[in-house]
Amino acid sequence: MNNIFNYRIFLLLLRYILGGVFIYASIDKIQNPQEFSDLIDNFHITPITLNNIFALTLPWLELIIGFGLITGFFLEASLKIIILLLIWFIFILAQAVFRGIDTHCGCFKVGDGVENIDYKFLLIKRIFEDVVFLGMALILKFKAQFNKGK
Amino acid sequence: MELFLFLFRLKQFLNVCKFLFMTNTQKQIIGLILLSIFFGLIRNYFLESPLSLLKEKRIFETIEVQTNNNGEFTFDLPKDLTEPLNITIETVDYLRITNQSIIIDARDEEDFNKGRIKGAINIPFDYYEEFEFQLDDIDLEKILIVYCSGGECSLSIDLADYLMLDRGFFNVLVYEGGWPEWKGAGLPTE
């Protein structure tokens, strides 16, 4: 009984952490869509024409699903979006590393990494973080009992 | 013709049916994405300078060094530039040799130290606040040439915009070919 209780606390904690991370990551991007759009340009993976739309939409999606995770509203949909987003982030960061693109990630703040000269190391660190978040999201997706677990 | 119209209507109808039979989660995912687009557009509307929904790649006008009737090189910059101009490698070399310009490397310090155009100074765009003092005593009419890693690099354009719009320099040029082209051409480096 105690184990089940601890397990539910653990899942709840994962949800709060993941939700908090996504909300935190979205705020700076919502405030500076122009800079975020330029950052997306730097990854050279999406057509430039669409980057402003991505820059305007993506942070809000992160914010909404972050709240979704914390409050439990649209939990399953939020989790699915988070998993897809994290896989996408890992892909674009990895291609930037392999292609040797000199860019900073901007995952948390648009100006983040400014002091860090070694962009490749920063990108690999971000990939590692995203893999951890993806692991957390997958645990929630496959283990959590959404309706009972709150 | 009517058959096509009928098939078209049938397809529309089936699409609607497909949406109705989607699982709740799929509907929610679409709903959340639409909500994000809605909030994004509202946010854009209230921005001081809203982004255009379809972004266009900036294309700079290119200006080149000319040869006059006597076979001498001349370079005339248009007056009252409103945005930076792009220049070719020959023009950079001409302006460098004739000492008419200041060449600015917008890459980070590490890349600058590995190799640069001869005589260039370093103002990395990412932390220009620490480096821009080098321009404090420079006449605003002086020609500034900004370059970075060529091709996909946007640091030179960002720095050129900053120098022109925020620092008030009148004659800012971007060398889009950048360090790879210069090095590949075997021109003077240090």
Side-chain angles (χ1 to χ4, degrees), chain A residues 30-31 33-34 37-38 41-42 44 48-49 52-53 56-57 60-61 64 74 76-78 80-81 99 102 104 114 117 119, chain B residues 25 28-29 32-33 35-37 39-40 43-44 47 51-57 108-111 126-127 149 152 154-155:
Chain A
I30 287 174
Q31 286 173 341
Q34 176 66 64
S37 173
D38 293 341
D41 290 350
N42 290 348
H44 304 288
I48 284 183
T49 317
N52 276 353
I53 294 177
L56 288 168
T57 308
W60 284 99
L61 188 62
I64 291 169
F74 308 117
E76 191 158 355
S78 300
K80 280 189 177 171
I81 296 174
R99 289 166 72 191
D102 181 5
H104 16 107
V114 162
I117 290 174
Y119 295 112
Chain B
T25 313
Q28 284 176 9
I29 289 175
L32 292 179
I33 292 172
L35 199 63
S36 311
I37 294 173
F39 281 131
R43 165 75 184 137
N44 193 36
L47 279 177
L51 310 183
S52 63
L53 291 184
L54 296 179
K55 193 173 188 176
E56 287 173 17
K57 192 175 192 297
D108 63 50
E109 207 175 356
E110 194 185 9
D111 289 333
D126 287 331
Y127 13 79
S149 306
E152 297 178 332
S154 60
L155 296 172

Coordinates of all heavy atoms in Angstrom, one line a residue, chain A residues 30-31 33-34 37-38 41-42 44 48-49 52-53 56-57 60-61 64 74 76-78 80-81 99 102 104 114 117 119, chain B residues 25 28-29 32-33 35-37 39-40 43-44 47 51-57 108-111 126-127 149 152 154-155:
Chain A
I30 N 8.2 33.4 -25.4 CA 7.0 34.1 -25.7 C 7.3 35.6 -25.6 O 6.7 36.4 -26.4 CB 5.9 33.8 -24.6 CG1 5.4 32.4 -24.9 CG2 4.8 34.8 -24.6 CD1 4.4 31.9 -23.8
Q31 N 8.2 36.0 -24.7 CA 8.5 37.4 -24.6 C 9.3 37.9 -25.8 O 9.2 39.1 -26.2 CB 9.3 37.7 -23.4 CG 8.4 37.6 -22.1 CD 9.2 37.7 -20.8 OE1 10.4 37.4 -20.8 NE2 8.6 38.0 -19.7
P33 N 9.7 36.7 -29.4 CA 9.5 35.8 -30.6 C 10.4 36.1 -31.7 O 10.8 35.1 -32.4 CB 8.0 36.1 -31.0 CG 7.7 37.3 -30.3 CD 8.5 37.5 -29.1
Q34 N 10.8 37.3 -31.9 CA 11.7 37.7 -33.0 C 13.1 36.9 -32.8 O 13.6 36.3 -33.8 CB 12.0 39.2 -33.1 CG 13.0 39.6 -34.1 CD 12.5 39.3 -35.6 OE1 11.5 39.9 -36.0 NE2 13.2 38.4 -36.3
S37 N 12.7 33.3 -33.4 CA 12.6 33.0 -34.8 C 14.0 32.9 -35.4 O 14.3 32.1 -36.2 CB 11.7 34.0 -35.5 OG 11.7 33.9 -36.8
D38 N 14.8 33.9 -35.1 CA 16.2 33.9 -35.6 C 17.0 32.7 -35.2 O 17.8 32.1 -35.9 CB 16.9 35.2 -35.1 CG 16.3 36.4 -35.8 OD1 15.6 36.3 -36.8 OD2 16.5 37.5 -35.3
D41 N 16.1 29.9 -37.3 CA 16.8 30.0 -38.5 C 18.2 29.3 -38.4 O 18.6 28.6 -39.4 CB 17.0 31.4 -38.9 CG 15.8 32.2 -39.3 OD1 14.8 31.5 -39.5 OD2 15.8 33.4 -39.4
N42 N 18.8 29.5 -37.3 CA 20.2 29.0 -37.1 C 20.3 27.5 -37.2 O 21.4 27.0 -37.5 CB 20.8 29.5 -35.8 CG 21.0 31.0 -35.8 OD1 21.0 31.6 -36.9 ND2 21.3 31.6 -34.7
H44 N 18.7 25.6 -39.3 CA 18.7 25.2 -40.8 C 18.0 23.9 -41.0 O 18.5 23.0 -41.7 CB 20.1 25.2 -41.3 CG 20.8 26.4 -41.1 ND1 20.6 27.6 -41.8 CD2 21.8 26.7 -40.3 CE1 21.4 28.5 -41.4 NE2 22.1 28.1 -40.5
I48 N 12.6 28.7 -43.9 CA 12.7 30.1 -43.3 C 11.3 30.7 -43.3 O 10.9 31.3 -42.3 CB 13.7 31.0 -44.0 CG1 15.1 30.6 -43.6 CG2 13.4 32.4 -43.7 CD1 16.2 31.4 -44.1
T49 N 10.5 30.5 -44.3 CA 9.2 31.1 -44.5 C 8.3 30.7 -43.3 O 7.5 31.6 -42.8 CB 8.5 30.5 -45.7 OG1 9.5 30.4 -46.8 CG2 7.3 31.3 -46.1
N52 N 8.7 32.1 -38.5 CA 7.9 33.1 -37.6 C 6.7 32.4 -37.0 O 6.4 32.6 -35.8 CB 7.5 34.3 -38.4 CG 8.7 35.3 -38.5 OD1 9.7 35.1 -37.9 ND2 8.5 36.3 -39.3
I53 N 6.0 31.6 -37.8 CA 4.8 30.9 -37.3 C 5.2 30.0 -36.2 O 4.6 29.9 -35.1 CB 4.1 30.2 -38.4 CG1 3.5 31.2 -39.4 CG2 2.9 29.3 -37.9 CD1 2.9 30.7 -40.6
L56 N 6.1 31.9 -33.1 CA 4.9 32.4 -32.3 C 4.1 31.3 -31.7 O 3.5 31.5 -30.6 CB 4.0 33.2 -33.3 CG 4.5 34.5 -33.8 CD1 3.7 35.0 -35.0 CD2 4.5 35.5 -32.7
T57 N 4.0 30.1 -32.3 CA 3.1 29.1 -31.8 C 3.8 28.2 -30.8 O 3.2 27.8 -29.7 CB 2.7 28.2 -33.0 OG1 2.2 29.1 -34.0 CG2 1.6 27.2 -32.6
W60 N 3.8 28.9 -26.9 CA 2.5 28.8 -26.3 C 2.1 27.4 -26.1 O 1.5 27.0 -25.1 CB 1.4 29.5 -27.2 CG 1.6 31.0 -27.0 CD1 2.2 31.9 -27.8 CD2 1.1 31.8 -25.9 NE1 2.1 33.2 -27.3 CE2 1.4 33.1 -26.2 CE3 0.4 31.5 -24.7 CZ2 1.1 34.2 -25.3 CZ3 0.0 32.5 -23.9 CH2 0.4 33.9 -24.1
L61 N 2.4 26.5 -27.1 CA 2.1 25.1 -27.0 C 2.9 24.5 -25.8 O 2.3 23.8 -25.0 CB 2.6 24.4 -28.3 CG 2.1 22.9 -28.4 CD1 0.6 22.8 -28.4 CD2 2.7 22.3 -29.7
I64 N 1.1 25.7 -22.6 CA -0.2 25.1 -22.4 C 0.0 23.6 -21.9 O -0.7 23.2 -21.0 CB -1.1 25.2 -23.7 CG1 -1.5 26.6 -24.0 CG2 -2.3 24.3 -23.5 CD1 -2.1 26.8 -25.3
F74 N -6.3 17.7 -19.9 CA -5.8 17.2 -21.2 C -4.4 16.5 -21.0 O -3.5 16.7 -21.8 CB -5.6 18.3 -22.2 CG -6.8 19.2 -22.4 CD1 -6.8 20.5 -22.1 CD2 -8.0 18.6 -22.8 CE1 -7.9 21.3 -22.2 CE2 -9.1 19.4 -23.0 CZ -9.1 20.8 -22.7
E76 N -3.4 13.3 -21.2 CA -2.8 12.4 -22.1 C -2.4 13.1 -23.4 O -1.4 12.8 -24.0 CB -3.9 11.3 -22.4 CG -3.3 10.2 -23.2 CD -4.1 8.9 -23.1 OE1 -5.0 8.9 -22.3 OE2 -3.7 7.9 -23.7
A77 N -3.2 14.0 -23.9 CA -2.9 14.8 -25.1 C -1.6 15.6 -24.8 O -0.7 15.6 -25.7 CB -4.0 15.7 -25.4
S78 N -1.5 16.2 -23.7 CA -0.3 17.0 -23.4 C 1.0 16.1 -23.4 O 2.0 16.4 -23.9 CB -0.4 17.6 -22.0 OG -1.5 18.5 -22.0
K80 N 1.4 13.3 -25.0 CA 1.8 12.8 -26.4 C 2.5 13.9 -27.1 O 3.5 13.7 -27.8 CB 0.5 12.4 -27.1 CG 0.0 11.0 -26.8 CD -1.1 10.6 -27.7 CE -1.5 9.1 -27.3 NZ -2.7 8.7 -28.0
I81 N 2.0 15.2 -26.9 CA 2.6 16.3 -27.6 C 4.1 16.5 -27.1 O 5.0 16.7 -27.8 CB 1.8 17.6 -27.4 CG1 0.5 17.5 -28.1 CG2 2.6 18.8 -28.0 CD1 -0.4 18.7 -27.8
R99 N 26.2 18.4 -38.1 CA 26.5 19.3 -39.2 C 27.4 20.4 -38.8 O 27.9 21.2 -39.6 CB 25.2 19.9 -39.8 CG 24.3 18.9 -40.6 CD 22.9 19.5 -40.8 NE 22.9 20.6 -41.8 CZ 21.9 21.3 -42.0 NH1 20.8 21.2 -41.3 NH2 21.9 22.3 -42.9
D102 N 27.2 26.3 -36.0 CA 27.6 27.2 -34.9 C 26.4 28.0 -34.5 O 26.0 29.0 -35.0 CB 28.7 28.2 -35.4 CG 29.2 29.1 -34.3 OD1 28.7 28.9 -33.2 OD2 30.0 29.9 -34.6
H104 N 23.5 28.6 -30.9 CA 23.2 28.1 -29.5 C 21.8 27.7 -29.5 O 20.9 28.0 -30.3 CB 23.5 29.1 -28.4 CG 23.7 30.5 -28.8 ND1 22.7 31.5 -28.6 CD2 24.7 31.1 -29.5 CE1 23.2 32.6 -29.1 NE2 24.4 32.4 -29.6
V114 N 25.3 32.4 -24.1 CA 26.1 33.6 -24.6 C 27.5 33.5 -24.1 O 28.5 33.8 -24.8 CB 25.4 34.9 -24.2 CG1 26.3 36.0 -24.3 CG2 24.2 35.1 -25.1
I117 N 31.5 29.5 -25.0 CA 32.1 29.5 -26.3 C 31.9 28.1 -27.0 O 31.7 28.1 -28.2 CB 33.6 29.9 -26.2 CG1 33.6 31.4 -25.8 CG2 34.3 29.7 -27.6 CD1 35.0 31.9 -25.6
Y119 N 29.9 25.7 -28.3 CA 28.5 25.5 -28.6 C 28.2 24.0 -28.7 O 27.1 23.6 -28.4 CB 28.2 26.2 -29.9 CG 28.3 27.7 -29.8 CD1 29.2 28.4 -30.5 CD2 27.4 28.4 -29.0 CE1 29.3 29.8 -30.4 CE2 27.4 29.7 -28.9 CZ 28.4 30.4 -29.6 OH 28.5 31.8 -29.5
Chain B
T25 N -8.3 11.9 -27.4 CA -6.9 12.5 -27.3 C -6.5 13.2 -28.6 O -5.9 14.3 -28.5 CB -5.9 11.3 -27.0 OG1 -6.5 10.5 -26.0 CG2 -4.6 11.8 -26.6
Q28 N -8.1 16.4 -28.7 CA -7.5 17.3 -27.8 C -6.2 17.9 -28.3 O -5.8 19.1 -28.1 CB -7.3 16.6 -26.4 CG -8.5 16.4 -25.6 CD -8.3 15.6 -24.4 OE1 -7.1 15.3 -24.0 NE2 -9.3 15.3 -23.7
I29 N -5.4 17.0 -28.9 CA -4.1 17.4 -29.5 C -4.3 18.5 -30.5 O -3.7 19.6 -30.5 CB -3.3 16.2 -30.1 CG1 -2.8 15.3 -29.0 CG2 -2.1 16.7 -30.9 CD1 -2.2 14.0 -29.5
L32 N -5.4 21.7 -28.7 CA -4.3 22.4 -28.1 C -3.4 23.1 -29.1 O -2.9 24.2 -28.8 CB -3.4 21.4 -27.2 CG -4.1 20.8 -26.0 CD1 -3.2 19.8 -25.3 CD2 -4.6 21.8 -25.1
I33 N -3.1 22.5 -30.2 CA -2.3 23.1 -31.2 C -3.0 24.4 -31.8 O -2.4 25.5 -31.9 CB -2.0 22.2 -32.4 CG1 -1.0 21.1 -31.9 CG2 -1.3 22.9 -33.6 CD1 -0.8 19.9 -32.8
L35 N -5.2 26.2 -30.2 CA -5.2 27.1 -29.1 C -3.9 27.9 -29.1 O -3.8 29.1 -28.9 CB -5.4 26.4 -27.8 CG -5.9 27.3 -26.6 CD1 -7.3 27.9 -26.9 CD2 -6.0 26.4 -25.3
S36 N -2.8 27.1 -29.3 CA -1.4 27.8 -29.3 C -1.3 28.7 -30.5 O -0.8 29.8 -30.3 CB -0.3 26.7 -29.4 OG -0.5 25.7 -28.5
I37 N -1.8 28.3 -31.6 CA -1.7 29.2 -32.8 C -2.5 30.5 -32.5 O -2.1 31.6 -32.7 CB -2.3 28.5 -34.0 CG1 -1.4 27.4 -34.4 CG2 -2.4 29.5 -35.2 CD1 -1.9 26.5 -35.5
F39 N -3.3 31.9 -29.5 CA -2.5 32.7 -28.5 C -1.3 33.4 -29.2 O -1.0 34.5 -28.9 CB -2.1 31.9 -27.3 CG -3.2 31.7 -26.3 CD1 -3.4 30.4 -25.8 CD2 -4.0 32.7 -25.9 CE1 -4.4 30.2 -24.9 CE2 -5.0 32.5 -25.0 CZ -5.2 31.2 -24.5
G40 N -0.6 32.6 -30.0 CA 0.5 33.2 -30.7 C 0.2 34.3 -31.6 O 0.9 35.4 -31.6
R43 N -0.7 37.3 -29.4 CA 0.6 37.9 -28.9 C 1.3 38.7 -29.9 O 1.8 39.8 -29.7 CB 1.5 36.7 -28.4 CG 2.9 37.1 -28.2 CD 3.1 37.9 -26.9 NE 4.5 38.3 -26.7 CZ 4.9 39.5 -26.3 NH1 4.0 40.4 -25.9 NH2 6.1 39.8 -26.1
N44 N 1.3 38.2 -31.2 CA 1.9 38.9 -32.3 C 1.2 40.2 -32.5 O 1.9 41.2 -32.8 CB 1.9 38.0 -33.5 CG 2.8 38.5 -34.6 OD1 3.9 39.1 -34.3 ND2 2.4 38.4 -35.9
L47 N 2.5 42.9 -30.2 CA 3.9 43.2 -30.2 C 4.2 44.6 -30.7 O 3.4 45.1 -31.6 CB 4.7 42.2 -31.1 CG 5.0 40.8 -30.5 CD1 5.7 40.0 -31.6 CD2 5.9 41.0 -29.3
L51 N 5.6 40.3 -36.1 CA 6.4 39.6 -37.1 C 5.4 39.3 -38.3 O 4.2 39.1 -38.1 CB 6.8 38.2 -36.5 CG 7.5 38.2 -35.2 CD1 7.9 36.8 -34.9 CD2 8.8 39.1 -35.3
S52 N 6.0 39.3 -39.5 CA 5.2 38.9 -40.6 C 5.0 37.4 -40.5 O 6.0 36.7 -40.2 CB 5.8 39.3 -41.9 OG 7.0 38.7 -42.1
L53 N 3.8 36.9 -40.9 CA 3.6 35.5 -40.6 C 4.4 34.6 -41.6 O 4.9 33.5 -41.2 CB 2.1 35.2 -40.8 CG 1.2 35.7 -39.7 CD1 -0.2 35.3 -39.9 CD2 1.7 35.3 -38.3
L54 N 4.7 35.1 -42.8 CA 5.6 34.3 -43.6 C 6.9 35.1 -43.7 O 7.0 36.2 -44.2 CB 5.0 34.2 -45.0 CG 3.7 33.4 -45.1 CD1 3.2 33.3 -46.5 CD2 3.9 32.0 -44.6
K55 N 7.9 34.5 -43.2 CA 9.2 35.2 -43.1 C 9.9 35.1 -44.4 O 9.9 34.1 -45.1 CB 10.1 34.4 -42.0 CG 11.3 35.1 -41.6 CD 11.9 34.4 -40.4 CE 13.1 35.2 -39.8 NZ 13.6 34.5 -38.6
E56 N 10.6 36.2 -44.7 CA 11.4 36.2 -46.0 C 12.8 36.3 -45.7 O 13.2 37.1 -44.8 CB 10.9 37.4 -46.8 CG 9.6 37.3 -47.4 CD 9.1 38.5 -48.1 OE1 9.9 39.4 -48.4 OE2 7.9 38.6 -48.4
K57 N 13.6 35.6 -46.4 CA 15.1 35.7 -46.3 C 15.5 37.1 -46.8 O 15.1 37.5 -47.8 CB 15.8 34.6 -47.1 CG 17.2 34.5 -46.8 CD 17.8 33.3 -47.5 CE 19.2 32.9 -47.0 NZ 20.2 33.9 -47.2
D108 N 33.0 34.3 -32.7 CA 33.4 34.3 -31.3 C 35.0 34.4 -31.3 O 35.7 34.2 -32.2 CB 32.8 33.2 -30.5 CG 33.3 31.8 -31.0 OD1 34.5 31.6 -31.2 OD2 32.4 31.0 -31.2
E109 N 35.4 34.7 -30.1 CA 36.8 35.0 -29.9 C 37.7 33.8 -30.2 O 38.8 33.9 -30.8 CB 37.1 35.3 -28.4 CG 38.2 36.2 -28.1 CD 38.3 36.6 -26.7 OE1 37.4 36.3 -25.9 OE2 39.3 37.3 -26.3
E110 N 37.2 32.6 -29.9 CA 38.0 31.4 -30.2 C 38.3 31.2 -31.7 O 39.4 31.0 -32.1 CB 37.2 30.2 -29.7 CG 38.0 28.9 -29.6 CD 37.1 27.7 -29.2 OE1 35.9 27.9 -29.1 OE2 37.7 26.7 -28.9
D111 N 37.2 31.4 -32.5 CA 37.4 31.3 -34.0 C 38.3 32.4 -34.5 O 39.1 32.2 -35.4 CB 36.0 31.4 -34.7 CG 35.2 30.1 -34.4 OD1 35.8 29.0 -34.2 OD2 34.0 30.2 -34.4
D126 N 27.5 37.9 -30.3 CA 26.9 37.3 -29.1 C 27.2 38.1 -27.8 O 26.5 38.0 -26.8 CB 27.2 35.9 -28.9 CG 26.5 35.0 -30.0 OD1 25.4 35.5 -30.4 OD2 27.0 34.0 -30.4
Y127 N 28.4 38.7 -27.8 CA 28.7 39.5 -26.6 C 29.4 40.8 -27.0 O 30.5 41.1 -26.6 CB 29.6 38.7 -25.6 CG 30.2 37.5 -26.1 CD1 31.3 37.5 -26.9 CD2 29.6 36.2 -25.8 CE1 31.9 36.3 -27.4 CE2 30.1 35.1 -26.2 CZ 31.3 35.1 -27.0 OH 31.8 33.9 -27.5
S149 N 31.2 33.5 -40.6 CA 31.6 32.2 -41.2 C 31.0 31.9 -42.5 O 31.0 30.7 -43.0 CB 31.2 31.0 -40.2 OG 31.8 31.3 -38.9
E152 N 25.8 30.1 -44.1 CA 24.7 30.0 -43.2 C 24.8 30.9 -42.0 O 23.9 30.9 -41.1 CB 24.5 28.5 -42.7 CG 24.2 27.6 -43.9 CD 24.2 26.1 -43.4 OE1 24.8 25.8 -42.4 OE2 23.4 25.4 -44.0
S154 N 24.7 34.0 -39.6 CA 23.9 35.3 -39.6 C 24.5 36.3 -38.7 O 23.9 37.4 -38.5 CB 22.5 35.0 -39.2 OG 22.4 34.4 -38.0
L155 N 25.6 36.0 -38.0 CA 26.2 36.9 -37.0 C 26.6 38.2 -37.6 O 26.4 39.3 -37.1 CB 27.4 36.3 -36.4 CG 27.2 35.0 -35.5 CD1 28.5 34.4 -35.1 CD2 26.4 35.3 -34.3

